[in-house]
Amino acid sequence: MCGCPVDAVKHLLRLGLIVSTETDRVEHETGPNAILLSDLAIQNGHACRHAEFPVLQMLDKQGMIVPDHPRNTGVRPLLIGSRGQVEAQSEYLFRGNYGLVSREEQMAAGLGAQEADEQMRIKLAFAFGRIMPTDELLHSLHVGNETAHIRNGVSISRLRTNVFEIAFRDERVEAVEGNEPAGGGTGATIRCVSVVEAYLLNAAGSGCAGSGGAVEIV
């Protein structure tokens, strides 16, 4: 998924790029399993890293975290980007998924002991019995100045701020986030958007999730 603007999952569903399917007679949704984060937190006056719902769709709707699900193979949502952005987004997603993660944190927020115990009981029921640390919920890949290998022969290189080259064997594509000018890569160019609304009319023709395309790196 190249970029993760607000309502990205909703628009991918609208465009038919996330659909229902079955694996071993278990119904689940399709969709991307990796997110390339923008280098910039704000573009065009809008926050442009809304990874929480795409990640939850991967974990729950695709089955990556569901016990005994055929899609729970150990592969987790992959966050790709600069170290600072990936680490900040990982912490945000952990807290967004779990909120307060212990009886002590609940009580420090003002709950009594009995209510804190009840809240944790409910929370653990929805969390399949335990609070998972961030590195079990998510995998991460930091992209600096050197080529980084994603998995299964796919690699990514940073050309400059918000411009990346993604390669598989002899195929290459340049991924451009936001309003950055293209150029510098050796393959085709796809433009990722930070604000979906401006691109909805032509989203179906784009090859980039977040502006209309979902690709899974298997």
Side-chain angles (χ1 to χ4, degrees), residues 7-196:
D7 292 332
V9 170
K10 181 192 301 183
H11 295 302
L12 291 174
L13 285 163
R14 257 182 80 184
L15 292 165
L17 295 165
I18 293 176
V19 298
S20 293
T21 187
E22 285 189 4
T23 301
D24 297 337
R25 298 186 179 181
V26 176
E27 187 173 349
H28 60 88
E29 290 183 352
T30 63
N33 58 5
I35 300 174
L36 175 58
L37 297 172
S38 170
D39 287 331
L40 306 175
I42 304 293
Q43 293 187 59
N44 299 325
H46 295 263
C48 57
R49 291 196 304 270
H50 297 271
E52 181 175 0
F53 286 107
V55 165
L56 289 176
Q57 190 270 342
M58 298 176 201
L59 291 172
D60 297 323
K61 297 291 189 177
Q62 294 187 38
M64 290 184 183
I65 201 176
V66 179
D68 301 319
H69 196 286
R71 295 278 292 176
N72 187 350
T73 62
V75 173
R76 293 289 181 257
L78 177 63
L79 296 183
I80 305 170
S82 69
R83 180 179 295 276
Q85 303 299 353
V86 167
E87 290 179 352
Q89 196 72 183
S90 296
E91 178 62 22
Y92 158 72
L93 290 168
F94 178 79
R95 287 298 179 175
N97 189 44
Y98 290 128
L100 302 176
V101 296
S102 69
R103 181 176 186 267
E104 291 72 24
E105 286 187 352
Q106 299 272 359
M107 293 179 65
L111 296 185
Q114 185 174 350
E115 190 176 2
D117 287 339
E118 178 63 13
Q119 289 296 320
M120 285 306 302
R121 184 189 67 79
I122 296 170
K123 188 183 295 286
L124 288 170
F126 280 97
F128 307 111
R130 73 185 185 97
I131 303 296
M132 298 176 67
T134 304
D135 59 0
E136 289 186 36
L137 279 174
L138 304 166
H139 293 164
S140 61
L141 180 67
H142 303 141
V143 182
N145 296 323
E146 303 294 328
T147 297
H149 297 281
I150 301 175
R151 64 170 72 103
N152 297 335
V154 180
S155 63
I156 183 168
S157 304
R158 180 189 303 280
L159 301 181
R160 57 183 183 277
T161 300
N162 265 358
V163 181
F164 304 86
E165 185 174 75
I166 302 170
F168 176 68
R169 297 179 180 170
D170 59 348
E171 299 179 49
R172 297 178 183 276
V173 65
E174 187 174 317
V176 182
E177 295 257 15
N179 294 325
E180 294 296 322
T186 59
T189 298
I190 54 175
R191 183 166 291 278
C192 318
V193 300
S194 57
V195 185
V196 169

